[in-house]
């Protein structure tokens, strides 16, 4: 298969000031961290993209729109399924004193768990702290990738560790931020050189690189597509590097009012989300 070729380099989805409608666009400033800019309420200008984010033929126009609200790069209607890898960074496996898996550990995120940039990550009451690709070869795997974005695979460890199946604890509503923009595969020819970091209230907890993945993106796609169709709109979360809160002494947990930020290099930018404990505030849309 020939690699997917997009007309855009960085795609964002947003509500425009000019129309009050949802649009796709490409930031006018190619170096702007759109996630951070949106959080800081800076003006963001974008060339309108005509067509679906999942259609490689979507065209970048000369029409300039102003971002009123930054949304997840893919809508819930465009998302098909979210497959996630657990324990896929060697340094994370080491810090948790767990053996590196012989095969990818897979879990799923329901679409109801997905939220966008700047939307609050909900900590449900039950978890609030008490004090189309199939049988793809590794060689061709990246040809099926439309682009790369960020995500925050928020974990509720008490519920996760009570069972060997992670899906329930990983699937709470409004707990999985996605964004802030989708960077074309053409702009990231090698996904194994991306720096990534997580900060909580301004403190860096995780500072890693995708080169430390146990199963790289090629291997992951080849594994997940065995006898399984990966449809357009399929999202794969590829794990987390060392520095997670529950492995620290003392453990760090998300609390009401926290500021949680995920940053990934090569133009993906910063995914900013406040933390809200359920019952204390209403949240935003995907």
């Amino acid at each position: 298969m020939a690699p997917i070729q997009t007309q855009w380099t960085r795609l964002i989805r947003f509500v425009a000031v000019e129309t009050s409608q949802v649009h796709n666009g490409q930031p006018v400033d190619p170096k702007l961290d759109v996630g951070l800019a949106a959080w800081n309420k800076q003006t963001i200008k974008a060339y309108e993209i005509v067509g679906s984010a999942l259609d490689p033929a979507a065209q970048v126009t000369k029409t300039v729109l102003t971002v009123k609200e930054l949304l997840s790069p893919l809508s819930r209607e465009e998302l098909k399924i979210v497959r996630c890898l657990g324990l896929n960074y060697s340094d994370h496996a080491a810090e948790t004193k767990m053996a590196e898996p012989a095969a990818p550990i897979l879990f799923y995120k329901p679409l109801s768990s997905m939220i966008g940039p700047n939307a609050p990550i909900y900590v449900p009451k039950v978890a609030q702290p008490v004090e189309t690709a199939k049988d793809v070869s590794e060689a061709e795997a990246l040809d099926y990738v439309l682009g790369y974005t960020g995500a925050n695979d928020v974990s509720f460890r008490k519920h996760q560790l009570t069972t060997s199946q992670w899906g329930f604890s990983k699937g709470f509503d409004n707990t999985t931020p996605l964004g802030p923009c989708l960077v074309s595969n053409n702009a990231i020819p090698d996904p194994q050189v991306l720096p990534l970091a997580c900060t909580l209230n301004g403190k860096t907890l995780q500072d890693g690189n995708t080169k430390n993945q146990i199963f790289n993106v090629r291997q992951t796609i080849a594994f997940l597509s065995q006898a399984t169709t990966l449809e357009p709109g399929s999202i794969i979360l590829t794990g987390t590097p060392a520095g997670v809160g529950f492995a620290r002494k003392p453990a760090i947990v998300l609390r009401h009012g926290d500021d949680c930020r995920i940053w990934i290099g090569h133009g993906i930018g910063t995914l900013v989300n406040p933390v809200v404990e359920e019952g204390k505030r209403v949240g935003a849309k995907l």
Side-chain angles (χ1 to χ4, degrees):
M1 173 180 169
I4 296 173
Q5 296 288 333
T6 61
Q7 306 300 313
W8 46 265
T9 301
R10 294 202 303 161
L11 180 145
I12 60 174
R13 182 170 154 268
F14 60 96
V15 176
V17 171
E18 293 82 359
T19 67
S20 295
Q21 300 294 317
V22 176
H23 299 264
N24 290 327
Q26 174 156 286
V28 171
D29 183 348
K31 296 182 179 179
L32 181 68
D33 185 329
V34 291
L36 206 53
W39 180 255
N40 291 329
K41 302 189 185 311
Q42 295 174 234
T43 298
I44 303 172
K45 297 286 187 178
Y47 296 112
E48 183 179 15
I49 294 175
V50 176
S52 165
L54 300 180
D55 181 3
Q59 296 289 320
V60 181
T61 71
K62 294 183 179 180
T63 302
V64 176
L65 297 172
T66 308
V67 175
K68 179 179 180 181
E69 180 184 359
L70 184 65
L71 305 174
S72 172
L74 296 177
S75 69
R76 281 187 178 167
E77 291 71 31
E78 291 172 319
L79 293 174
K80 298 301 180 186
I81 193 167
V82 183
R83 293 175 170 87
C84 313
L85 266 62
L87 209 66
N88 192 35
Y89 278 74
S90 53
D91 52 0
H92 178 40
E95 75 172 347
T96 56
K97 299 180 173 56
M98 299 175 73
E100 294 187 5
I105 296 174
L106 178 66
F107 61 95
Y108 293 82
K109 288 276 193 176
L111 300 188
S112 60
S113 75
M114 306 302 292
I115 58 176
N118 304 338
I121 299 167
Y122 269 79
V123 180
K125 288 181 178 178
V126 69
Q128 289 178 18
V130 179
E131 279 321 68
T132 320
K134 188 174 181 180
D135 296 321
V136 176
S137 68
E138 288 185 24
E140 294 185 334
L142 298 188
D143 294 347
Y144 291 86
V145 175
L146 176 71
Y148 302 90
T149 190
N152 190 351
D153 171 22
V154 177
S155 299
F156 298 94
R157 302 293 186 183
K158 174 184 174 183
H159 298 80
Q160 178 185 353
L161 299 177
T162 58
T163 173
S164 61
Q165 300 296 320
W166 294 359
F168 174 69
S169 66
K170 294 281 194 174
F172 294 152
D173 289 354
N174 302 314
T175 56
T176 310
L178 181 75
C181 71
L182 185 64
V183 176
S184 170
N185 67 328
N186 304 313
I188 301 180
D190 183 3
Q192 303 309 140
V193 295
L194 304 183
L196 65 163
C198 173
T199 62
L200 185 64
N201 301 324
K203 179 181 179 181
T204 299
L205 299 185
Q206 294 172 271
D207 186 6
N209 193 289
T210 55
K211 68 182 179 183
N212 294 323
Q213 290 176 349
I214 298 168
F215 304 101
N216 64 32
V217 173
R218 289 182 182 274
Q219 293 168 324
T220 295
I221 293 172
F223 180 86
L224 296 183
S225 68
Q226 295 176 99
T228 303
T229 300
L230 305 182
E231 297 183 14
S234 297
I235 305 294
I236 300 174
L237 308 190
T238 54
T240 191
V244 297
F246 92 106
R248 293 172 175 266
K249 304 297 181 187
I252 297 175
V253 298
L254 295 178
R255 298 183 183 275
H256 186 75
D258 281 351
D259 177 300
C260 190
R261 305 185 180 202
I262 302 298
W263 172 84
I264 303 179
H266 291 240
I268 293 174
T270 307
L271 181 61
V272 185
N273 298 91
V275 176
V276 172
E277 292 178 1
E278 186 181 10
K280 296 186 179 178
R281 223 175 89 187
V282 245
K285 59 183 177 180
L286 176 66

